[in-house]
Amino acid sequence: MPVPIPRQRAIPAAESGQAQGAFSPGGPSGEATGGPAGAAPAPHAAMTPVDSTTNLILLVIEDDPAGSLSVPEMLDAAGKPIRIRTARNLTEAERLLTDDVHCILLDLALPAPGRAATESDDELTTLKHVLRLAPRHAVLALTASGDAERGAEAVRVGAQDYLFRDELDGRLLSRAIRYAVERKRSDKAERRLTESRLRAQENARLERGLLPTPLLEGSSLRFAARYRPGRSRALLGGDFYDTVRTPDGTVHAMIGDVCGHGPDEAALGVELRIAWRALTFAGLCGDELLSTLQQVLEHERESDEIFATLCTVDIAPDGRRAGLCLAGHPSPLISRPGRPAELLPYENGGPALGLLHGARWPRRQVELGGEWSLMLYTDGLIEGHIGEGKERLGQDGMVDLVRRRLAEGLTGEELLRATVNEVRDLNGGELTDDVAVLLLDRTP
């Protein structure tokens, strides 16, 4: 809520160099410079922007049968005359309040709509009515000399400033108008900024809520994940992953990538992840699960050109073997004691979801052993550049990188953090694609 500014002494006309009382309206609803006064108002969506070629327009709302209120001639900051329109009541004011009006000068003594001034139980009822009528216009309140308390209250209600009725002169009033217009513009900009921040905070909370929480209760496997969306200032991208343990003790993990990096792709990725979790708990696995996910994708995507790659792994309750399905996705990397890290076999994988109607995705059985680490990742991890050339890291480069980090003794979160950071450094800056990495460890 605006706070009142300290009042200043009115500057006499002799000091200001402006002619006192030089304004003479052409009628009760006229405009001082002879501009149109009877046009029907446009919807008050926005005021006309003020620039060096625009004349400021002031709408004076006052009922002055004695003619005691004298509005002086005024010039704006560019030396252009400030145009004036007058209205004796709120009905006339609503008709004259077109979008090219920049400021309203309201006499607080004006009776509230439909009642005399003495009948009003709120002396600022008229001001509140004007503020509701013109929420995007700057408003100056005019009050009796010495009644600073009422003027300050008007500012607290929503006016940009207040002036004393019998202290008006051109210099003071023109300065007050310019100040009110700029303050209103500043208030609007600050409000838009605040609204933008609130929307960003809401979006961030929503995106955090959409990120997966692994359901591994009862499993001896250790879980770690890293996620870095390619969209600037986003928390969620087109990559998605999840891990759950079903009642039979099987641990299911998956990672996927919707083509593209925008919010629509992120939303589709969330839908596919949630569908995967529901279908997995319903008992689907392998080709049956991926065929159903393809149906979900085909119904939810905006274009037939949208597709998604996917890797699913179902690890037996004893942890020594797993089933692997690839839908156009890079094969996971496995590391075991005494053996170099390597990619799991990836022959006979199926196409990405959404590319071929009626496609099939064979499930391959793989032996894991008693102790192992299994890393699932999206192509954002391997498609970054190496240095300033066009050469990309690729799967072979990623395997070498992970081998070095494992030799340093890194595991879990530390291994993923170091790997993603080195890939980014090799790229010479932030990666433009989404990156998701998931790690499952089994130790004796």
Side-chain angles (χ1 to χ4, degrees):
M1 183 67 67
V3 295
I5 61 171
R7 300 307 305 151
Q8 300 184 18
R9 174 180 66 89
I11 302 174
E15 293 181 24
S16 69
Q18 301 290 339
Q20 184 77 21
F23 168 67
S24 177
S29 301
E31 186 170 316
T33 59
H44 307 309
M47 294 184 299
T48 300
V50 180
D51 55 36
S52 59
T53 63
T54 303
N55 288 82
L56 282 172
I57 298 179
L58 172 70
L59 175 61
V60 180
I61 308 175
E62 57 90 20
D63 184 13
D64 186 27
S68 58
L69 177 63
S70 179
V71 181
E73 283 185 354
M74 296 172 292
L75 300 177
D76 61 19
K80 296 179 177 294
I82 296 178
R83 298 161 61 186
I84 301 172
R85 299 176 187 173
T86 60
R88 293 185 298 184
N89 52 56
L90 295 180
T91 300
E92 290 183 2
E94 186 170 0
R95 180 167 57 86
L96 294 172
L97 188 59
T98 52
D99 291 340
D100 56 349
V101 172
H102 300 99
C103 186
I104 299 171
L105 178 62
L106 173 67
D107 188 357
L108 295 181
L110 189 72
R115 61 176 63 183
T118 56
E119 297 175 350
S120 176
D121 54 359
D122 184 352
E123 60 183 5
L124 296 178
T125 298
T126 303
L127 172 62
K128 293 176 182 178
H129 183 90
V130 170
L131 292 173
R132 288 193 299 270
L133 183 66
R136 296 176 177 83
H137 291 74
V139 177
L140 290 170
L142 191 63
T143 187
S145 296
D147 195 0
E149 182 177 351
R150 190 181 189 190
E153 182 63 25
V155 172
R156 281 191 289 269
V157 167
Q160 272 61 58
D161 200 357
Y162 67 92
L163 299 168
F164 294 135
R165 182 184 181 90
D166 55 359
E167 293 185 0
L168 291 181
D169 68 80
R171 180 177 173 183
L172 175 64
L173 184 54
S174 60
R175 185 176 62 185
I177 293 169
R178 295 195 301 271
Y179 167 80
V181 170
E182 292 304 320
R183 181 170 181 176
K184 185 67 176 182
R185 180 186 296 173
S186 175
D187 290 344
K188 288 169 61 179
E190 184 176 355
R191 183 170 61 253
R192 285 194 296 268
L193 179 60
T194 300
E195 292 172 352
S196 177
R197 287 173 175 169
L198 290 175
R199 283 195 298 270
Q201 291 171 1
E202 291 173 356
N203 290 340
R205 285 194 295 269
L206 176 61
E207 290 185 341
R208 288 191 192 97
L210 294 175
L211 289 173
T213 300
L215 300 178
L216 292 174
E217 185 176 357
S219 173
S220 61
L221 301 183
R222 295 184 303 171
F223 170 88
R226 296 286 289 178
Y227 193 91
R228 186 190 298 271
R231 283 188 298 142
S232 175
R233 297 184 297 276
L235 296 176
L236 201 62
D239 290 3
F240 54 99
Y241 66 90
D242 206 350
T243 306
V244 298
R245 180 178 184 267
T246 48
D248 64 355
T250 302
V251 171
H252 302 259
M254 73 88 167
I255 196 163
D257 181 4
V258 177
C259 65
H261 318 296
D264 292 336
E265 289 77 11
L268 183 55
V270 171
E271 291 181 272
L272 292 174
R273 179 185 67 78
I274 294 173
W276 176 87
R277 176 176 284 199
L279 294 170
T280 299
F281 278 121
L284 275 66
C285 185
D287 178 75
E288 187 180 12
L289 186 149
L290 292 178
S291 296
T292 308
L293 282 179
Q294 173 155 285
Q295 294 179 38
V296 174
L297 172 66
E298 290 173 345
H299 283 88
E300 296 296 331
R301 63 185 177 182
E302 291 188 349
S303 166
D304 291 343
E305 298 177 355
I306 300 297
F307 63 89
T309 65
L310 196 69
C311 168
T312 67
V313 176
D314 54 280
I315 302 170
D318 63 6
R320 301 186 66 88
R321 63 190 183 279
L324 170 66
C325 284
L326 296 176
H329 200 88
S331 184
L333 180 147
I334 187 169
S335 62
R336 290 169 280 207
R339 299 171 59 178
E342 60 183 348
L343 299 176
L344 288 179
Y346 51 84
E347 296 85 2
N348 301 322
L353 302 181
L355 289 184
L356 296 176
H357 186 70
R360 289 291 178 260
W361 294 271
R363 177 177 176 271
R364 177 167 185 154
Q365 190 80 8
V366 294
E367 294 296 325
L368 302 178
E371 183 178 354
W372 47 264
S373 291
L374 191 64
M375 190 176 85
L376 285 65
Y377 54 93
T378 58
D379 60 7
L381 188 68
I382 60 177
E383 290 190 347
H385 290 91
I386 302 176
E388 298 180 357
K390 295 183 178 181
E391 185 181 357
R392 296 185 183 275
L393 177 65
Q395 285 182 289
D396 291 340
M398 184 267 296
V399 172
D400 291 339
L401 189 157
V402 173
R403 286 175 177 173
R404 285 191 283 104
R405 293 300 184 181
L406 289 170
E408 296 171 3
L410 299 184
T411 59
E413 290 279 359
E414 290 184 350
L415 173 63
L416 296 188
R417 180 168 54 252
T419 299
V420 174
N421 288 342
E422 184 172 349
V423 169
R424 182 191 59 191
D425 293 341
L426 289 172
N427 189 60
E430 289 295 338
L431 300 164
T432 57
D433 198 2
D434 304 326
V435 176
V437 192
L438 183 157
L439 188 68
L440 290 171
D441 291 326
R442 183 178 189 267
T443 55

